[in-house]
Amino acid sequence: MSDSLRKYRLSLISSLIAFLLFQLSSPNLVAQARPDAKNLLKQMTIEEKVAQLSQLPGFPIPEFIQQVGNPEAVIRHFGAGSVLWVSDPKQINRIQHIAVDESRLHIPILFGLDVIHGYHTIFPAPIAMASSWDPKLVESAQTVAAREARAAGIAWTFAPMLDIARDARWGRMVEGAGEDPYLGSAIARAQVLGFQGTQPGALDRVLACAKHFAGYGAADGGRDYDSSYIPEEQMWNTYLVPFKAAADAGVGSFMSAYMDLNDVPASGNRWLLHDVLRDTWKYNGFVVSDANAVHSLITHGYAFTAGVNMDMASGTYLKYLIAEVKQGHIAMKQIDDMVLPILEAKIKLGLFEHPYVDEARIPQVLNAPEHQELARTAVQRSVVLLRNEQNALPLSKSQIKSIAVIGPLADAEADLLDMWGAMTKPGPTVSILQGIKNKVGDSVQVEFAHGPNIRRDIPSFFENIPFVPVKEQPKQSPEDAKKAFDDAVDLAKRSDIAIVVLGEIALMSGEAASRSSLKLSGGQEELLEAVAATGKPVVLVLVNGRPLDISWAAEHVPAILETWYSGSQAGNGIADILFGDANPAGHLPVSWPHNSAELPLYYNHTLTQAPEDAPGFTSRYWDALSTPLYPFGYGLSYTTFSYDNLKVSQSEAKVGSTLDVAVDVANTGNRAGDAVVQLYIHQRAGSASRPVRQLKGFQRLTLQPGSKQTIHFKLGPDELQFWSPALKKWVVEPEAFDIWAGDNSQAKLHTEFRLTQ
Ligand code: NOJ
């Protein structure tokens, strides 16, 4: 018998044995069939249950192996709930085969990855997508992200991040929708719908995860992972609101946060995970801890059973929970309740029928041209025009002969994806330099000068980790930095116009990337000032994850465009805006401070007896303003809009009524553009102080020059209620209300109404 024939027969025999063993070990489970979760649970040993409650790290972490053994051995013996951060489809299939073919119950693994704003086609970062004020766009982008990720074997994403962020020192502001609970909820719903769709089991969708539950964005001093202290009324009225919206939209999982909330670790916080999530909201999906957070509970002396179903990558459940149950400290019923929603999620996702990746199909899905088109549209719709004196923008190709593209982020690629976008399987990225070249073709001379490198003041922890694709820019000698600076200024001098691209490398925003100062670091401010001093027209293009201190630029640079981290099509989309092929309509989802001394800063604060603009003693610093440089909701367009005729359907109505609010918006300029109409309210008195303004409606619409439209909003109990700290419940109160409509949170157009008993 030839060698190959022998091997073939051997493999045939072993397959047969495996098949027979499979039949014997699981009489009720036919391979590839959709099981019943409760039946499956009945067959499971405690070890197998706890394995389902565990997410194993996708790469060998020595401490993990020391604690519980090699992840693959665990899978072989007991299966696993999930595996974190394996993105290579070949590896996914290999590991999935271990679970499905070799583990006793053949339960497939749920592979989880941070697909935050794209998998291969990278869309603008979440704060940018929120700047579009366009939930439909957000939904479409996450639909594409889900399609690509699922095609490559990822069935679970750790998004959306729903943390309200009022402090730009906190680096993770970039991952969320900003400071406002109403906008945040609309964006949350859109993301859940985009990721999950409405058809359970659809193979082009993924399970979403609402994170980080809750209050993570309120870290003391903006320092990532530090404690949050949030009074109950702020939890209900602000921080929990987007999470509730996600739960109502059917989000399949939640992630508990790392930090202490009011002195109780969020991942062991029974009030959050049990009283709020399960009891009050009746949530029946599952909760995963943030990475290693369950392990941290040990140091806090907290119990395991506050409400986290799945332990992310720490191995703590595997190490302790089995013994806890065997010793009778934790009831099996409790374990069963924790396992059941995980099995149900796997069943709903269609994992039992389709556990493997079809590797041959992946390129066709990832390279769909319409994905790139959508990414470009997303850039166009999310950039925010902050300043445009004397219509400095858009630029005209026919009037410019030479452009100096300057700055340490102008030719960047990976940095435009932000940390998460760079961590999945991103395709090519169009740099801003390239986008400008693509736009102007050969008719305009485009030259580039990098300027001095950007580095963090304190070297980054990530710097030397090979799998982190975004890097610090190399250290330069003072001479090299000076030469780079001088070259850039010289280039500006000999060009018609300078487009200066400044901001933050990707590592400066995101996780563990808090900053005490929002200044343009690494000599960028000096470079900007020197380029402006040449007298050439300057356009400042910002690439960053949080508002920056641009106080000088806001007075001296005629055009400023906030582009955030705008993904694969960054350069093309930004060039579309710069040259007027698209009209900007992004609006800020955060209040933009002058500098970090003003933080935290948010528009929906309560009244003070002495606001900044009152005479006498006022609520302000001696040496700085306490109002924003640009307010929440602000953004310019190449056209202009007027707002008139703000009317409410009844000037007096009973509590419980729903009122109609109408406002006319007209395009008063001479080109088509999108208006972002915003509705704000204020309750004048009541059982508690109410915010000076609260967003309660918005709509983005396109208007041709000279055209006008009446926009309607509804104000009903959902919009008018709040959680009263005095009454400890949700109330709609018989009080007087102000209403404003316009294009930012300082809109002047006003009317009022009164609710009566
Ligand atoms: C830690 C981060 O806080 C969380 O957002 C992320 O989803 C997990 N790591 C997994 O990568």
Side-chain angles (χ1 to χ4, degrees):
M1 202 184 320
S2 75
D3 251 16
S4 59
L5 192 60
R6 189 173 301 122
K7 272 188 197 146
Y8 174 74
R9 283 189 52 178
L10 274 176
S11 82
L12 207 68
I13 293 168
S14 54
S15 309
L16 196 66
I17 294 172
F19 178 73
L20 286 173
L21 283 176
F22 168 80
Q23 292 293 317
L24 284 174
S25 62
S26 59
N28 301 330
L29 184 72
V30 182
Q32 314 293 356
R34 174 175 284 236
D36 173 80
K38 286 195 179 130
N39 266 341
L40 191 52
L41 192 59
K42 277 189 205 141
Q43 301 172 47
M44 294 170 79
T45 63
I46 177 63
E47 288 78 8
E48 287 164 340
K49 289 176 186 174
V50 174
Q52 288 303 313
L53 298 179
S54 302
Q55 181 176 56
L56 310 183
F59 35 85
I61 299 178
E63 303 86 68
F64 184 93
I65 293 173
Q66 264 171 28
Q67 302 266 328
V68 294
N70 193 309
E72 290 191 14
V74 174
I75 296 171
R76 193 164 282 119
H77 286 111
F78 308 116
S82 174
V83 167
L84 174 69
W85 271 28
V86 175
S87 56
D88 177 355
K90 276 202 176 15
Q91 289 303 319
I92 290 181
N93 275 341
R94 190 184 65 76
I95 298 169
Q96 191 69 293
H97 270 291
I98 301 178
V100 174
D101 303 342
E102 299 184 43
S103 77
R104 191 178 72 94
L105 290 173
H106 320 287
I107 302 174
I109 293 169
L110 181 55
F111 286 88
L113 188 73
D114 292 275
V115 179
I116 307 296
H117 50 109
Y119 177 81
H120 180 75
T121 307
I122 306 301
F123 293 92
I127 194 169
M129 292 303 283
S131 304
S132 73
W133 293 60
D134 185 352
K136 272 273 154 242
L137 174 78
V138 172
E139 183 187 334
S140 308
Q142 299 302 35
T143 302
V144 168
R147 187 181 304 145
E148 292 185 355
R150 189 70 191 264
I154 301 300
W156 186 20
T157 180
F158 307 117
M161 187 191 95
L162 304 179
D163 298 303
I164 297 284
R166 295 169 156 186
D167 189 334
R169 291 173 298 181
W170 188 55
R172 302 195 78 169
M173 181 178 258
V174 63
E175 297 177 51
E179 76 189 36
D180 185 69
Y182 187 90
L183 178 64
S185 298
I187 303 292
R189 278 189 291 274
Q191 296 203 65
V192 172
L193 217 60
F195 283 129
Q196 297 190 163
T198 48
Q199 295 279 310
L203 294 178
D204 55 354
R205 302 288 181 158
V206 298
L207 190 77
C209 182
K211 73 183 188 187
H212 307 83
F213 196 56
Y216 183 38
D220 263 3
R223 287 180 302 274
D224 204 7
Y225 315 128
D226 255 4
S227 305
S228 296
Y229 289 94
I230 309 176
E232 199 177 352
E233 63 271 20
Q234 288 218 7
M235 284 305 291
W236 288 116
N237 291 321
T238 305
Y239 289 91
L240 290 175
V241 178
F243 287 98
K244 174 70 164 61
D248 290 346
V251 71
S253 64
F254 267 63
M255 184 187 293
S256 61
Y258 277 132
M259 79 301 148
D260 278 2
L261 172 68
N262 301 331
D263 288 346
V264 181
S267 291
N269 194 312
R270 209 175 152 76
W271 177 76
L272 267 180
L273 299 170
H274 190 268
D275 300 359
V276 173
L277 189 62
R278 306 278 186 200
D279 268 11
T280 312
W281 294 353
K282 310 286 176 230
Y283 181 70
N284 56 17
F286 71 95
V287 180
V288 63
S289 72
D290 202 340
N292 227 28
V294 169
H295 180 72
S296 314
L297 292 184
I298 299 175
T299 35
H300 290 93
Y302 261 86
F304 299 132
T305 51
V308 167
N309 302 67
M310 192 183 282
D311 164 15
M312 183 183 277
S314 85
T316 309
Y317 277 2
L318 277 166
K319 191 166 179 210
Y320 296 104
L321 214 48
I322 299 164
E324 291 286 300
V325 174
K326 286 189 174 160
Q327 286 160 22
H329 299 147
I330 296 175
M332 188 63 98
K333 161 89 174 71
Q334 196 161 354
I335 300 293
D336 288 352
D337 290 348
M338 289 160 79
V339 177
L340 196 65
I342 296 172
L343 296 177
E344 281 168 346
K346 292 182 175 188
I347 292 168
K348 260 195 229 155
L349 279 164
L351 278 187
F352 282 85
E353 299 96 311
H354 303 281
Y356 303 114
V357 188
D358 177 355
E359 290 177 45
R361 189 176 150 260
I362 301 173
Q364 165 209 335
V365 178
L366 301 197
N367 298 322
E370 62 272 22
H371 294 185
Q372 292 299 323
E373 275 161 36
L374 184 66
R376 185 168 181 162
T377 306
V379 182
Q380 296 168 352
R381 292 179 78 80
S382 56
V383 299
V384 185
L385 181 62
L386 294 176
R387 183 171 151 94
N388 197 19
E389 291 303 289
Q390 270 125 38
N391 298 326
L393 289 178
L395 305 173
S396 155
K397 271 191 262 186
S398 59
Q399 282 166 20
I400 298 171
K401 295 214 164 37
S402 58
I403 302 176
V405 179
I406 292 174
L409 285 159
D411 66 337
E413 293 177 11
D415 284 296
L416 299 179
L417 306 179
D418 126 270
M419 173 88 175
W420 288 128
M423 295 279 277
T424 50
K425 282 270 181 292
T429 306
V430 183
S431 71
I432 295 174
L433 174 64
Q434 190 57 51
I436 292 170
K437 285 184 175 166
N438 295 346
K439 177 64 68 184
V440 299
D442 295 337
S443 63
V444 181
Q445 189 184 330
V446 178
E447 282 183 84
F448 167 61
H450 185 280
N453 285 350
I454 310 176
R455 291 181 61 80
R456 296 202 210 196
D457 301 335
I458 302 173
S460 154
F461 156 75
F462 290 116
E463 193 164 7
N464 297 316
I465 302 184
F467 69 79
V468 175
V470 282
K471 303 279 176 220
E472 301 276 349
Q473 297 189 346
K475 243 192 189 122
Q476 277 173 313
S477 67
E479 296 75 37
D480 287 350
K482 166 136 187 3
K483 176 159 188 322
F485 187 99
D486 293 345
D487 287 350
V489 178
D490 285 347
L491 176 61
K493 282 184 188 152
R494 56 174 199 272
S495 307
D496 289 348
I497 178 168
I499 299 177
V500 187
V501 186
L502 305 177
E504 297 178 301
I505 50 171
L507 283 177
M508 289 172 79
S509 267
E511 188 172 346
S514 301
R515 295 184 63 193
S516 69
S517 155
L518 304 178
K519 283 194 184 314
L520 286 163
S521 64
Q524 295 183 87
E525 178 77 36
E526 293 77 1
L527 179 66
L528 178 66
E529 293 183 18
V531 170
T534 63
K536 292 295 167 74
V538 177
V539 176
L540 172 60
V541 175
L542 292 170
V543 171
N544 49 305
R546 48 155 77 84
L548 296 175
D549 178 349
I550 52 165
S551 313
W552 185 87
E555 277 183 33
H556 298 95
V557 177
I560 307 177
L561 202 60
E562 172 55 76
T563 70
W564 310 110
Y565 297 115
S566 44
S568 307
Q569 284 292 325
N572 287 334
I574 292 167
D576 291 337
I577 296 279
L578 288 172
F579 290 88
D581 292 330
N583 190 352
H587 285 248
L588 293 174
V590 286
S591 303
W592 191 293
H594 292 86
N595 56 53
S596 62
E598 279 181 301
L599 298 171
L601 182 73
Y602 48 97
Y603 82 96
N604 47 3
H605 54 82
T606 49
L607 283 167
T608 152
Q609 63 176 25
E612 183 167 88
D613 52 3
F617 290 114
T618 63
S619 162
R620 62 164 296 179
Y621 304 105
W622 279 34
D623 47 5
L625 294 170
S626 54
T627 42
L629 175 62
Y630 302 115
F632 172 82
Y634 169 87
L636 301 173
S637 162
Y638 295 153
T639 187
T640 47
F641 299 99
S642 71
Y643 293 82
D644 290 298
N645 271 326
L646 178 60
K647 286 195 187 121
V648 59
S649 52
Q650 291 146 275
S651 57
E652 229 177 77
K654 289 247 178 282
V655 163
S657 321
T658 296
L659 299 120
D660 177 81
V661 181
V663 62
D664 291 347
V665 51
N667 183 339
T668 50
N670 50 19
R671 53 180 295 161
D674 283 10
V676 175
V677 187
Q678 301 161 40
L679 181 81
Y680 293 89
I681 66 162
H682 167 61
Q683 179 179 326
R684 285 191 200 150
S687 64
S689 282
R690 303 305 303 130
V692 290
R693 288 194 183 195
Q694 288 178 281
L695 181 72
K696 289 296 172 182
F698 67 88
Q699 200 175 313
R700 177 171 175 154
L701 73 157
T702 304
L703 285 172
Q704 296 305 316
S707 72
K708 178 163 104 178
Q709 213 170 301
T710 305
I711 303 299
H712 292 268
F713 296 102
K714 117 185 144 43
L715 282 182
D718 280 354
E719 289 76 23
L720 299 172
Q721 67 173 355
F722 73 100
W723 194 90
S724 167
L727 306 169
K728 299 267 177 229
K729 60 176 185 181
W730 290 95
V731 291
V732 179
E733 296 186 328
E735 297 292 348
F737 289 80
D738 296 295
I739 308 178
W740 296 266
D743 61 1
N744 69 64
S745 55
Q746 295 177 353
K748 300 269 180 300
L749 187 64
H750 174 260
T751 188
E752 59 193 17
F753 69 95
R754 176 176 286 280
L755 289 184
T756 57
Q757 243 350 321

